[in-house]
Amino acid sequence: MADDLSRHDAILRIPVTVQVVLGSAKMPVAHLMKLGRGAVVALDQRVGEPVNVVVNGRIVARGEVVVVDEDNSRFGVSLTEIVGSADADAFN
């Protein structure tokens, strides 16, 4: 039993990469090469739509972007939905 607990604790300490995907865009390389400072790239995501929370390349949740610092310098995500494995596979 103690071995199971220590293995469980070891697994819980494994670092993972968490990303929040605000959207994406497709464009020809020629257009990409013309981008410069101040250029705006329109994303396929609309304001107010949920963003995907991705862990190690797999969608695990969706949420809303929120401001987490009083001086508006950092953003976070308020989770609104935990995605099941079948749902996550549909988006990969």
Side-chain angles (χ1 to χ4, degrees), residues 74-86:
R74 291 184 49 197
F75 297 100
V77 177
S78 174
L79 299 182
T80 58
E81 176 186 2
I82 303 300
V83 177
S85 60

Side-chain angles (χ1 to χ4, degrees), residues 18-56:
V18 178
Q19 297 174 312
V20 176
V21 181
L22 295 175
S24 62
K26 283 189 175 183
M27 67 179 68
V29 172
H31 186 188
L32 181 67
M33 298 295 289
K34 293 178 184 176
L35 294 177
R37 185 181 192 116
V40 175
V41 176
L43 303 176
D44 58 359
Q45 197 86 348
R46 298 194 180 280
V47 172
E49 287 183 348
V51 295
N52 290 327
V53 178
V54 180
V55 176
N56 286 350

